[in-house]
Amino acid sequence: MVLAGGGTVAFVSEKGAPFGGADGSVWSNAAPGSREAEPRDHPRPPIRCSEIDCLRHRLAPRIVAAAEARARALNIGADEVLIAQGEVTPEAYCRALAFSLQLRFVALDALPRTCCAVQDEVLVQSFRALVLPLQSEGRRIFVVAPRGVQARALVALVRGNATLRDRIWLTTPERMRRFVERHCGGFIAHRAAEALRVEHPILSAAQSRSPRRVRAAGLLSAAALAAAAVTVFAAPYAMLAGVQVFASAAFLAAACLRLLVGLRRNPPALPATVDEAILPRYSIVAAVYDEVEALPELLAALNALDYPPEKREILLVLERDDAWTRLIAEFLQSRWRFDIVLATERGPRTKPKALNCALPFMHGDLVVVYDAEDRPEPDQLRRAADAFLNGEASLACVQARLTVDNTDDSWLSRLFTAEYCGLFDVLLPGLAALRLPIPLGGSSNHFRASVLRAVGGWDPYNVTEDADLGIRLARFGYTSGVIDSTTYEEAPARLRPWLRQRTRWIKGWMQTLLVHARQPLRLCRDVGPSGALAFYLILGTTIATALVQPLAVSWLGAAALGWVPLAPSAAAGLSLALGWFHLCALVAGYASSAFLAFIGLKRRGLTRVALAFVALPLLWGLLSVAAWRALIQLVRRPHFWEKTQHGRARTSRLGARQAAQLYLRRSAAASSGLRFRLKGATNRPSLSIR
């Protein structure tokens, strides 16, 4: 038995002949080209799900038959069907299989680290394959957590070679995970907090610990300040005019890019048509902290996703000192199936570090990240899988469209709704259509797990890890897309939480800009000149606008009143031209943002929210407050994560829509004389095996 690449296991006989394939089939020993190896014209009989032979005498025949039928339809193991249906627990199945095959079941609780004489990195990789190599009494032992088609191959292997019974032990995936957490905790903590900084320091937002780099940064900053001081002293008006012209030109270019993107039409949405047999395995991860109120609704929404439960896993990442959330999560495990991963205390206390702690324990081919307040549409995983299966090999991430659910809570939440519509329904899809780098936003980002690990995971030192990861994927040669599926989120409806959240966002955008602008020429080589220009225009001008907006408005107002000159008195014509140029840039920036928001609202049928645009000047003023607050934090507390509390919404667009659909269904049932019984939200397969 050997550990193969990609997290798969190949069971090999003593002579080297494979007994089982990754698809669960038992390979033939016939020589290639022989009559026995040739394909037959008539269909082959269905493969017997030997992995549940240990349970056939304990379950009703109809349950076994239904489980095997669904296993063949999904191309998985029948044991996974029975476990997902709640007919048997993973512990009971593993013990029954061990008894049936005369193998030893090991709990791993008392097993010391010295029994596994491999490096921590190899041990973590072995866990993803659900195989641990051990040394016991001078013998090589393989501890296997059997699952699906691998369990079927294991049955064929042991039945074909009884001498292997002394070399294979069985355990459950949960016990194996606890063993790895217990003995590799330091390695996992180091990888979660420092892997990107060590392997790709130029792409990490961590503060440089190299004295050479600190001295170089200090010298460059001092030289730049000295050059600016000399220029201002020698030609103050020329310096000021040059800076103003450059900034206004950048703002106009950014406004033109937004208008270009806003005029593009999104292609019509098509239903996901992926065959369930080829659906990839999915890891759903959510990092939550102090979210007692939002946790039950989050887990209900995740378990209501229309995706085979046998092909998905839910990982909930919690902080070790968050006692109340941990207590509620452990209580809810009796109702829903999910695993709890505890984030390490090493490194910054941020969401991306918590996600990195869960990355070694994800078995899915695809990974999606949700926040505590997220309510994704039920078909989102299928649409994302469809995009990956039908997309290019370079497609590494697809972003679902976020929208605000509690729109009617306040004028602030209405403006938040307009912002989200402009960003996720217009700007990001347009950038993706132009094949430009996408600063991913919020949550509902779906990744290829292999690519996510290859680029270093999330940056634990960046407080907007999503935007940074979108640019980093582009720098590694991958593309990102946007799928036509919505995730409903709760927006802060009061000023204080809104200001804290927006401060963190802008600080993270500053970090992302500083990280990827460290080597401008290298950025151009990585993403191309157009990609680099779009990055600077979208992210750079957003930050700069928020910072200079109060200064620019005050200066233009004072110039209009004649209090300050725009240029020397000898250049009156230049003064007038500069004034109009700056005014056009300012108006174009405001107009392009409002245009994107209105187009997005129109596409979602929410044009009534456009009435809140009268408060846009107030919102832009608040953005400036958040930007200056973010700049101060960037200097004093660069990695501080300002928590946004959820579960405070008073209204819900999603809830109102579901109530309307329920009313229509009940009305239709009543008019047809049929009895209507509302079923609880569930994602159990359609076949009945009870």
Side-chain angles (χ1 to χ4, degrees):
M1 180 173 61
V2 298
L3 179 65
T8 60
V9 179
F11 297 100
V12 183
S13 69
E14 295 295 329
K15 297 181 180 180
F19 280 88
D23 61 349
S25 61
V26 179
W27 294 340
S28 172
N29 291 325
S34 65
R35 183 178 300 274
E36 185 178 354
E38 294 177 357
R40 304 175 182 178
D41 295 334
H42 56 83
R44 300 178 61 182
I47 298 175
R48 177 183 175 89
C49 296
S50 57
E51 66 274 10
I52 61 170
D53 286 348
C54 58
L55 299 175
R56 292 182 187 275
H57 64 289
R58 304 184 183 186
L59 300 174
R62 62 182 180 84
I63 294 178
V64 174
E68 289 186 315
R70 180 163 177 82
R72 287 191 289 268
L74 294 178
N75 195 24
I76 60 173
D79 60 306
E80 296 177 284
V81 178
L82 293 174
I83 292 174
Q85 290 289 323
E87 296 292 343
V88 64
T89 64
E91 180 93 4
Y93 168 72
C94 192
R95 290 183 178 274
L97 182 63
F99 180 81
S100 173
L101 297 177
Q102 301 179 24
L103 299 177
R104 177 181 174 182
F105 179 87
V106 58
L108 295 178
D109 294 333
L111 202 65
R113 178 66 174 87
T114 55
C115 290
C116 191
V118 296
Q119 296 179 350
D120 289 344
E121 183 177 3
V122 177
L123 185 56
V124 171
Q125 293 177 352
S126 299
F127 166 74
R128 288 206 295 269
L130 296 178
V131 177
L132 296 183
L134 301 180
Q135 290 287 342
S136 177
E137 299 177 356
R139 297 178 304 162
R140 173 61 64 90
I141 302 295
F142 292 98
V143 179
V144 182
R147 185 183 69 174
V149 294
Q150 293 181 355
R152 189 179 308 163
L154 175 66
V155 171
L157 173 65
V158 175
R159 287 177 178 174
N161 191 345
T163 61
L164 295 177
R165 288 193 172 96
D166 294 333
R167 298 177 55 190
I168 298 177
W169 296 349
L170 299 189
T171 192
T172 63
E174 173 62 22
R175 291 183 179 275
M176 187 178 291
R177 184 175 68 84
R178 290 204 301 264
F179 177 84
V180 173
E181 280 183 317
R182 185 165 58 250
H183 294 299
C184 300
F187 170 78
I188 294 173
H190 173 76
R191 293 286 304 176
E194 307 296 340
L196 183 65
R197 184 186 65 83
V198 172
E199 297 173 3
H200 305 285
I202 198 66
L203 300 178
S204 171
Q207 292 178 328
S208 176
R209 300 178 184 178
S210 170
R212 180 181 177 183
R213 289 186 177 177
V214 172
R215 286 195 301 269
L219 290 174
L220 288 176
S221 301
L225 290 174
V230 170
T231 305
V232 169
F233 180 78
Y237 281 108
M239 175 67 175
L240 183 61
V243 171
Q244 293 169 351
V245 169
F246 176 80
S248 296
F251 295 154
L252 277 175
C256 292
L257 177 60
R258 289 188 175 92
L259 292 174
L260 175 64
V261 169
L263 293 175
R264 294 184 62 91
R265 298 292 302 176
N266 292 336
L270 299 176
T273 58
V274 179
D275 183 7
E276 287 195 338
I278 63 173
L279 281 176
R281 293 188 180 273
Y282 238 110
S283 292
I284 306 169
V285 60
V288 299
Y289 176 69
D290 192 18
E291 295 287 2
V292 174
E293 296 89 350
L295 189 57
E297 292 187 14
L298 170 67
L299 292 172
L302 298 184
N303 280 272
L305 290 169
D306 180 21
Y307 205 81
E310 301 89 346
K311 288 190 173 185
R312 74 181 186 202
E313 63 177 358
I314 300 175
L315 300 176
L316 199 64
V317 190
L318 306 177
E319 297 291 340
R320 295 180 182 272
D321 62 348
D322 191 5
W324 280 109
T325 306
R326 288 178 60 182
L327 180 64
I328 297 299
E330 291 169 359
F331 172 76
L332 293 174
Q333 280 186 310
S334 62
R335 180 177 181 183
W336 292 300
R337 288 183 59 228
F338 61 92
D339 295 322
I340 297 176
V341 178
L342 297 181
T344 64
E345 297 178 352
R346 178 171 179 172
R349 189 170 184 145
T350 59
K351 170 188 168 185
K353 191 205 70 176
L355 294 176
N356 283 337
C357 291
L359 192 56
F361 303 112
M362 299 179 188
H363 290 100
D365 303 301
L366 302 178
V367 175
V368 59
V369 179
Y370 290 116
D371 285 339
E373 76 277 17
D374 286 352
R375 305 294 177 263
E377 289 184 334
D379 66 343
Q380 187 171 120
L381 300 190
R382 290 181 181 268
R383 288 188 177 274
D386 187 46
F388 282 115
L389 291 173
N390 296 316
E392 300 177 353
S394 62
L395 182 64
C397 173
V398 292
Q399 162 88 66
R401 305 183 185 196
L402 306 182
T403 189
V404 173
D405 188 31
N406 58 323
T407 300
D408 295 325
D409 274 11
S410 69
W411 66 271
L412 204 55
S413 60
R414 292 186 182 92
L415 289 176
F416 215 126
T417 302
E419 284 185 285
Y420 262 32
C421 288
L423 177 61
F424 292 102
D425 292 324
V426 184
L427 181 61
L428 294 189
L431 293 177
L434 295 173
R435 302 183 68 86
L436 296 173
I438 296 180
L440 300 173
S443 63
S444 302
N445 300 313
H446 303 250
F447 303 95
R448 295 189 195 269
S450 58
V451 174
L452 185 58
R453 293 188 177 98
V455 301
W458 294 272
D459 185 356
Y461 292 92
N462 193 314
V463 296
T464 53
E465 75 291 341
D466 33 39
D468 166 74
L469 186 53
I471 307 302
R472 185 158 19 109
L473 287 172
R475 298 193 68 167
F476 275 82
Y478 297 103
T479 60
S480 301
V482 179
I483 57 174
D484 189 22
S485 181
T486 297
T487 295
Y488 290 81
E489 287 196 339
E490 177 188 345
R494 294 181 295 111
L495 181 58
R496 185 184 178 96
W498 179 93
L499 186 61
R500 290 168 58 88
Q501 184 187 68
R502 196 56 61 101
T503 297
R504 174 169 55 84
W505 288 2
I506 298 178
K507 182 174 68 174
W509 296 339
M510 292 176 179
Q511 290 176 318
T512 302
L513 182 65
L514 291 174
V515 164
H516 295 285
R518 284 172 176 167
Q519 296 181 353
L521 295 180
R522 181 175 174 180
L523 177 65
C524 288
R525 289 196 303 268
D526 290 344
V527 302
S530 60
L533 180 61
F535 166 71
Y536 288 123
L537 289 180
I538 295 297
L539 210 58
T541 59
T542 299
I543 299 170
T545 300
L547 288 174
V548 306
Q549 178 181 237
L551 303 177
V553 172
S554 301
W555 179 68
L556 283 175
L561 295 174
W563 294 349
V564 295
L566 290 173
S569 56
L574 176 62
S575 175
L576 183 61
L578 283 176
W580 280 106
F581 183 62
H582 300 328
L583 183 61
C584 289
L586 188 66
V587 172
Y590 292 153
S592 63
S593 299
F595 173 72
L596 288 186
F598 182 78
I599 294 297
L601 290 173
K602 184 177 180 181
R603 291 178 181 178
R604 282 204 174 267
L606 294 173
T607 51
R608 62 178 179 82
V609 180
L611 295 175
F613 281 8
V614 296
L616 274 178
L618 178 58
L619 177 67
W620 290 328
L622 292 175
L623 284 174
S624 295
V625 175
W628 282 100
R629 192 168 178 264
L631 184 61
I632 295 172
Q633 274 195 17
L634 183 66
V635 176
R636 300 181 59 186
R637 307 174 70 184
H639 313 305
F640 171 63
W641 187 282
E642 283 197 282
K643 178 75 175 64
T644 303
Q645 197 65 38
H646 302 108
R648 303 288 191 266
R650 295 183 290 105
T651 63
S652 170
R653 292 197 292 115
L654 178 61
R657 190 179 70 175
Q658 291 175 340
Q661 293 174 347
L662 178 61
Y663 174 78
L664 293 176
R665 289 168 57 194
R666 283 177 169 169
S667 299
S671 62
S672 60
L674 299 176
R675 295 182 61 188
F676 180 85
R677 182 168 62 90
L678 177 64
K679 297 182 179 180
T682 181
N683 197 35
R684 296 175 64 87
S686 57
L687 75 131
S688 174
I689 65 173
R690 286 194 178 275

